[in-house]
Amino acid sequence: RSLADDLRHRDDDSLALLLIRRPDLSHPLPSDLGQLAARSVTQAATSRAVDRLNAFQLQVLEVVVVVQEPATRQSIKQHLPETTPADVEAVLDDLHVRALIWGPEDGYRATAMVKEVFGKFPAGLGPRLADLDMSVELGELIAQLDKAPQDVVEVLDRLTWGPPHGRITDATRPVTTTTASTPIEWLLARGLLVATDKTTVVLPRELGLHLRGGRVHKHTLAEIPSLTCTPTEQVAVDRAAAGSAFDLVRRVEDVLEAWSVAPPPVLRTGGVGVREVRTLATRLDVDESKAALLVEIAYTAGLLATSGDVDDLWLPTPNYDIWRTKSTAERWVELASAWLETTRVPGLIGPGEGKEGRVNALATELDRVVAPDIRTAVLHDLAMAEPASVVDVDRLVARQEWRRPRRGGRLRDELVRWTVAEAAAIGATALGALSTHGQALVLDDVRRSIEALGTLIPSPVDHVLLQADLTAVAPGPLEGDVARELGLLADIESSGGATVYRFTDASIRRALDAGRSAIDIHAFLQQHSKTPTPQPLTYLVDDVARRHGRVRVGSASSYIRSDDPALLDEILVDRRLGGLRVRRLAPTVIASDASPEVLLERLRQSGLAPAAESNDGALLLRRPDSRRTGPRQRPPRLRADPPVPGEPVAKAAVRALRAGERGQSRGEATTGPSGPVLVPKRAVSETLEVLRRAMEDKASVWIGYVGTDGTASERVIDPVELRGGWLTAFDHRQEQVSTFAVHRITGVAPLDD
């Protein structure tokens, strides 16, 4: 009689499956099955459910909408040629479970909102004859088709597969078979076309189906498009992918080290500026899109965040220091997993199209809720292909279009292509095929992914090769502490299988500013170099150290102090420093209106080597790469839909719905057990153990519970799920699924006690 009646006649397993396949219906849980039915046919809920259907499910549902109701299984199959009855019945059962159709005592009916979702012309077919107030029989219309001249047939051919309507002038004018002079008038005079207003004519649905030969769709999409694969060698794929994976880890570390020293500001509109990304790309020797991808992955992995202070900056988080202590394979898995799960889309970074402005890296506009589902689906397709197979990208696009034809459009197709490109960039794929460690990651086997990648990544080394041209060559990946210290002493000049570092005045001065002495630098180089320290490098370190600190900068507005008055004389007459508005306060002190940071930078640019000092005159030593944010969580993942409930939670929800039905049938609210019950107090560990045992045995338990208002009560519950300090359970007193804070549970006991 109605969808609500249909739901009431379903068994508990079928209702639980409905809540699993349409999770939005249980948030919040309706009080009874009538409310569940009402919520399931709302526009938002119906559109969301239809959007989740694949192409074949949509075609079957469209047939139910198109054919005369009630639609029997036999009539539906007749309109879907080239399909097996089993395939059609499986889809009908699924649509019935999802409550998009109901029946099937005498046949299926689509809900009214499903019909609205498909619009006025489902499957490109016009309205029914009855809806057009046409009393003519279909057989009479078909008989007229045999007499149609060729130009009329051509018009019908254009209308047959849709759109079934056209626009003409004065469509409602009287036309007879004798006065008709055009193909359109010929059709209007015989009722083969019907005027719906003064300018529109439409082909009736029954006639359109006849012209289609009984088919609702020109092509039946019963099967997902197959993959087109070209074989390659798995060993070559794994080695190439491992190289890209190692490169990802190293470059993300380079990004965060660079922004530890010189953090870029957060734009007013959010994100990071184009100039900063371009500078980073030059430093890393990559293109700007790769640099943007690196900072996005670092952000989604929780290694990069905003400082949150007045001068908001992008800085590494404390999680970065923890991440650096792990093996390269473990670090890669964290980065790749974050990329796979994030709703952020780095492919959108760049100049906007049309009226949209440019989208910057790390901007809030990059979130798209469909992104993680598409990435996962694409990589699962690669995992399903033959091992070591290069898959045609166009086929991946076609498969995703089949899975979600109503979701995404152009963005969906671009996300597929971006996923393929980004998977290669991060080292999940190589040579167009999925790597072994990438496949394990997709299949959620983290341990196997780490093991597979760990065997391919070279072991870190603790030494470099110093050369006479003021460079150092790292013959492999350096150990973390060695790489960090060398990055302080020198700048990366080139990277690849071997990384080349270059020593300069500025890099040595950077180490001295961080508190290193010339003795410390020489000792480090001797300890970690397989070659003797070249004389030019020794001279460079000693010369910069000798000049370092001869000029000191502090804050008076700021001041410059030096024991050499002649050196201060040079500063006073240096035209390059005129903008600092310096003035002499004493033979060894100069004051300036500029801040200490600006003063330090300008003096360094003029060729001096100043050192900062504190208010008490002591050297102010600070590692330039030690800046971090406060503790930060990973950025939240946006969700288009609520999380899918597990089977135990869904079944508990069904019990609550049944209880609501019983209350409705009695016309009163149901109540649980009453009377004082003394629940024994237990330790938290014992409480958790009893609750877990009850979940395993599907048993009821008593709990003592203190509410947020301090009121103590006893409840009989059926524990369903225990996660993150919260217990989800069916509460017999309220006869609904409730959530309890574990720390508020004062005691627990089996119901028999």
Side-chain angles (χ1 to χ4, degrees):
R1 297 188 297 273
S2 67
L3 176 60
D5 292 333
D6 182 287
L7 295 180
R8 291 187 179 103
H9 283 83
R10 298 188 184 188
D11 59 29
D12 289 358
D13 290 341
S14 178
L15 288 174
L17 197 55
L18 167 62
L19 299 180
I20 290 172
R21 295 190 181 175
R22 296 181 64 178
D24 54 298
L25 299 183
S26 59
H27 291 273
L29 187 67
S31 61
D32 54 49
L33 293 174
Q35 284 194 12
L36 178 66
R39 184 179 299 177
S40 69
V41 297
T42 61
Q43 183 177 12
T46 302
S47 297
R48 189 180 292 116
V50 173
D51 286 347
R52 294 195 193 103
L53 302 179
N54 62 42
F56 186 49
Q57 290 171 325
L58 277 175
Q59 286 188 332
V60 175
L61 182 57
E62 211 163 21
V63 170
V64 177
V65 170
V66 165
V67 301
Q68 186 68 37
E69 292 183 338
T72 64
R73 292 189 177 227
Q74 186 61 32
S75 64
I76 294 170
K77 295 172 188 174
Q78 289 175 352
H79 291 290
L80 288 166
E82 303 171 5
T83 59
T84 65
D87 289 341
V88 176
E89 291 188 5
V91 172
L92 287 172
D93 290 341
D94 181 71
L95 295 175
H96 183 252
V97 165
R98 295 173 188 262
L100 295 173
I101 60 177
W102 55 278
E105 290 81 1
D106 56 345
Y108 290 107
R109 291 173 171 81
T111 66
M113 193 54 65
V114 165
K115 298 173 185 177
E116 287 194 24
V117 167
F118 282 112
K120 294 166 55 176
F121 305 112
L125 292 166
R128 293 188 176 92
L129 287 168
D131 297 332
L132 294 169
D133 296 327
M134 296 286 290
S135 58
V136 64
E137 294 292 333
L138 178 62
E140 298 177 23
L141 297 179
I142 294 175
Q144 296 288 341
L145 292 176
D146 297 334
K147 306 173 186 178
Q150 182 59 36
D151 54 354
V152 172
V153 173
E154 292 175 357
V155 172
L156 289 173
D157 288 343
R158 290 197 296 270
L159 296 173
T160 296
W161 291 104
H165 56 86
R167 297 181 65 83
I168 63 171
T169 303
D170 195 12
T172 56
R173 64 185 181 276
V175 181
T176 65
T177 57
T178 57
T179 61
S181 59
T182 66
I184 298 296
E185 291 179 347
W186 193 96
L187 292 166
L188 285 170
R190 290 161 177 79
L192 301 177
L193 283 182
V194 181
T196 57
D197 56 43
K198 291 183 179 181
T199 60
T200 307
V201 294
V202 67
L203 183 70
R205 180 175 302 179
E206 292 86 348
L207 193 57
L209 280 172
H210 172 74
L211 292 171
R212 294 182 181 188
R215 306 171 66 103
V216 174
H217 306 94
K218 182 179 288 188
H219 304 290
T220 304
L221 306 174
E223 295 183 357
I224 188 170
S226 60
L227 294 173
T228 303
C229 305
T230 304
T232 185
E233 294 184 3
Q234 189 67 51
V235 174
V237 170
D238 289 346
R239 287 177 178 173
S244 299
F246 172 74
D247 185 69
L248 171 72
V249 173
R250 181 173 55 80
R251 290 192 187 279
V252 166
E253 189 169 357
D254 291 343
V255 169
L256 297 174
E257 289 296 325
W259 284 6
S260 294
V261 178
V266 179
L267 299 178
R268 291 182 180 178
T269 56
V272 64
V274 177
R275 181 181 301 175
E276 284 75 11
V277 174
R278 187 175 296 126
T279 301
L280 184 65
T282 302
R283 177 188 178 97
L284 300 179
D285 193 23
V286 297
D287 57 37
E288 291 183 35
S289 61
K290 178 66 175 292
L293 175 64
L294 293 172
V295 299
E296 281 291 334
I297 291 177
Y299 173 67
T300 58
L303 309 180
L304 179 69
T306 58
S307 59
D309 50 24
V310 176
D311 297 324
D312 211 2
L313 302 171
W314 289 105
L315 286 170
T317 67
N319 294 333
Y320 167 59
D321 298 307
I322 300 173
W323 177 77
R324 288 181 63 252
T325 63
K326 301 178 181 179
S327 69
T328 303
E330 290 173 322
R331 285 187 280 171
W332 179 83
V333 165
E334 283 194 26
L335 297 177
S337 298
W339 166 80
L340 188 61
E341 297 170 359
T342 183
T343 54
R344 299 181 62 77
V345 181
L348 295 172
I349 297 172
E353 297 183 0
K355 297 182 180 180
E356 298 180 2
R358 182 182 182 89
V359 180
N360 293 73
L362 302 176
T364 55
E365 301 95 316
L366 293 177
D367 280 296
R368 298 293 185 275
V369 293
V370 299
D373 292 339
I374 291 179
R375 286 195 198 98
T376 302
V378 169
L379 292 185
H380 270 287
D381 282 343
L382 295 176
M384 289 171 56
E386 293 293 328
S389 294
V390 180
V391 178
D392 182 14
V393 178
D394 290 335
R395 304 299 291 177
L396 294 173
V397 173
R399 288 170 70 87
Q400 194 57 36
E401 182 181 4
W402 184 90
R403 287 191 181 100
R404 294 292 184 268
R406 288 176 55 89
R407 271 192 173 183
R410 178 183 173 187
L411 174 64
R412 175 199 59 217
D413 298 343
E414 288 183 336
L415 275 169
V416 175
R417 301 185 186 278
W418 288 335
T419 296
V420 173
E422 291 168 8
I426 69 171
T429 65
L431 309 179
L434 190 64
S435 65
T436 301
H437 55 271
Q439 183 182 51
L441 182 70
V442 173
L443 300 178
D444 204 22
D445 192 345
V446 173
R447 178 176 297 180
R448 187 166 73 90
S449 180
I450 293 173
E451 291 174 352
L453 181 59
T455 60
L456 297 170
I457 292 179
S459 300
V461 298
D462 63 351
H463 64 274
V464 296
L465 305 174
L466 296 176
Q467 302 186 106
D469 60 351
L470 298 180
T471 61
V473 178
L478 289 172
E479 292 181 351
D481 293 339
V482 178
R484 185 175 176 84
E485 191 68 16
L486 188 59
L488 188 64
L489 296 172
D491 299 318
I492 296 177
E493 188 170 81
S494 65
S495 56
T499 304
V500 178
Y501 294 82
R502 178 166 293 280
F503 298 93
T504 64
D505 286 7
S507 68
I508 298 299
R509 185 172 61 242
R510 182 172 66 220
L512 295 171
D513 286 342
R516 306 296 186 272
S517 66
I519 296 176
D520 295 333
I521 296 173
H522 288 308
F524 173 81
L525 296 176
Q526 291 173 4
Q527 179 181 358
H528 295 285
S529 175
K530 290 291 186 180
T531 58
T533 305
Q535 193 175 55
L537 180 55
T538 301
Y539 288 164
L540 174 66
V541 173
D542 292 341
D543 184 55
V544 175
R546 183 172 57 256
R547 291 183 287 114
H548 186 264
R550 290 180 62 195
V551 174
R552 298 190 178 189
V553 172
S555 56
S557 235
S558 58
Y559 64 85
I560 306 172
R561 182 174 67 82
S562 176
D563 295 333
D564 186 353
L567 184 56
L568 297 184
D569 291 338
E570 294 178 11
I571 294 175
L572 287 169
V573 299
D574 193 333
R575 293 182 178 179
R576 294 172 297 177
L577 304 177
L580 299 177
R581 289 185 291 180
V582 294
R583 59 193 181 279
R584 190 170 224 135
L585 300 180
T588 58
V589 180
I590 293 177
S592 171
D593 292 338
S595 66
E597 291 76 14
V598 172
L599 198 54
L600 281 166
E601 183 62 27
R602 292 290 300 279
L603 291 175
R604 286 167 180 164
Q605 292 175 359
S606 70
L608 298 173
E613 71 177 16
S614 62
N615 292 334
D616 59 2
L619 276 176
L620 189 60
L621 303 177
R622 179 178 61 86
R623 285 189 61 95
D625 56 345
S626 62
R627 302 189 66 176
R628 295 288 184 270
T629 68
R632 294 286 191 273
Q633 298 292 330
R634 284 190 178 186
R637 170 181 168 178
L638 300 185
R639 290 186 179 273
D641 304 316
V644 177
E647 184 177 347
V649 175
K651 288 186 175 181
V654 170
R655 294 180 61 185
L657 291 170
R658 296 289 192 201
E661 285 293 301
R662 292 193 297 271
Q664 288 289 339
S665 64
R666 290 198 298 266
E668 58 184 10
T670 57
T671 57
S674 59
V677 178
L678 300 177
V679 181
K681 293 185 177 181
R682 297 178 184 268
V684 175
S685 58
E686 294 178 350
T687 297
L688 295 176
E689 180 60 30
V690 174
L691 292 174
R692 291 192 182 98
R693 193 180 309 121
M695 282 190 292
E696 294 174 359
D697 299 339
K698 296 181 172 55
S700 300
V701 294
W702 282 102
I703 63 168
Y705 192 72
V706 178
T708 55
D709 59 354
T711 303
S713 62
E714 291 79 32
R715 318 279 186 96
V716 177
I717 64 169
D718 295 344
V720 175
E721 186 176 51
L722 189 61
R723 180 183 299 176
W726 294 90
L727 171 68
T728 302
F730 178 77
D731 186 346
H732 286 263
R733 173 172 297 178
Q734 302 296 331
E735 292 199 325
Q736 66 180 17
V737 178
S738 301
T739 303
F740 302 92
V742 173
H743 69 277
R744 293 184 177 276
I745 298 177
T746 58
V748 61
L751 188 59
D752 293 342
D753 293 349

